Amino acid sequence: MREPAAEHGHPRHAIAVLLAHAVATQVITFVLRPTMAYRAIDLGVPAAWLGLLGASFAIAPLLLALPAGHITDRYGERRVAVTGSLLLTASSAAFLALGHTVPGLVTAGILLGTGHLGCVIAQQALVANTTRHGGHDAAFGRYTFAASLGQAAGPVLIAVFGGEQAIPDTGRIFCGRAACPPCSSPCRRRSRAALAPRPASRTRAAMCAPCCAVPGSRTRW
């Protein structure tokens, strides 16, 4: 008997969208995070403030990582991915509008770190919950490759938008990011079967995997 289309959808398309979202998440992060430091140098902030700016990206994920896992278990990957994508977009707007002050950079850095956390946890949980038994190693490998590709592309784009000077033109970089389409959700709507309660250990197990990787059930990777 043929299984309902809503249950399986278009696996290859869904996988491609997820991997593209993983690339975009890392590209945005690895463009904006270094640019934040360059802007601080432009502003002539003391060395101690540079350390604070660097830490602002990690403060929110440090505090929210475990709660975010519980939220993903309870509300699903799609909502967390959408929230993370919106926060990444908000961080771009904050860098553009508030990046001329240190408090503005700190605020934008916190938004960036929180958005990155939401996207990565949602991506990992999605891989975890849609990979059939025995395919997790390959699925995590593809996902990690996509994320690493984004991390490598980010610094290249800094050079493209920032020019050839030693300290890139941070204004052009922030404007270039703001002009790009927002990072959208990689998750399709769930069927009723997918909305059934899931073991909470899946998402938490995914969070224990390497930074850019994720476990599951129906889609073949």
Side-chain angles (χ1 to χ4, degrees):
M1 184 193 313
R2 185 177 180 180
E3 294 173 314
E7 185 71 16
H8 293 275
H10 303 282
R12 291 184 181 277
H13 172 72
I15 292 168
V17 171
L18 171 61
L19 295 180
H21 189 267
V23 172
T25 298
Q26 301 300 331
V27 166
I28 292 170
T29 302
F30 278 75
V31 166
L32 293 181
R33 193 178 182 189
T35 304
M36 175 174 63
Y38 287 130
R39 172 57 65 88
I41 294 173
D42 279 342
L43 296 176
V45 302
W49 277 100
L50 285 175
L52 177 61
L53 287 171
S56 67
F57 175 85
I59 289 174
L62 180 65
L63 298 176
L64 298 177
L66 293 178
H70 290 289
I71 290 172
T72 304
D73 285 332
R74 182 170 182 179
Y75 297 106
E77 305 92 340
R78 184 175 186 273
R79 292 180 181 179
V80 175
V82 169
T83 302
S85 299
L86 290 175
L87 287 172
L88 286 181
T89 303
S91 73
S92 301
F95 277 121
L96 188 60
L98 307 174
H100 58 284
T101 65
V102 173
L105 289 176
V106 172
T107 300
I110 292 174
L111 288 173
L112 179 64
T114 307
H116 180 265
L117 172 71
C119 288
V120 169
I121 285 184
Q123 292 159 5
Q124 292 182 350
L126 185 64
V127 178
N129 296 326
T130 57
T131 303
R132 65 183 303 172
H133 181 70
H136 294 141
D137 289 343
F140 277 107
R142 293 187 183 96
Y143 174 63
T144 304
F145 174 81
S148 299
L149 181 63
Q151 293 171 4
V156 175
L157 291 178
I158 290 178
V160 170
F161 285 103
E164 299 179 355
Q165 58 265 43
I167 298 180
D169 185 340
T170 54
R172 288 179 56 187
I173 297 173
F174 290 147
C175 289
R177 166 59 194 111
C180 293
C183 190
S184 60
S185 166
C187 310
R188 51 193 172 91
R189 289 190 179 276
R190 296 181 180 178
S191 62
R192 291 183 179 180
L195 287 171
R198 300 167 298 167
S201 59
R202 286 184 177 178
T203 302
R204 284 193 281 273
M207 293 172 60
C208 295
C211 175
C212 294
V214 193
S217 72
R218 282 187 287 274
T219 302
R220 182 189 296 273
W221 277 71

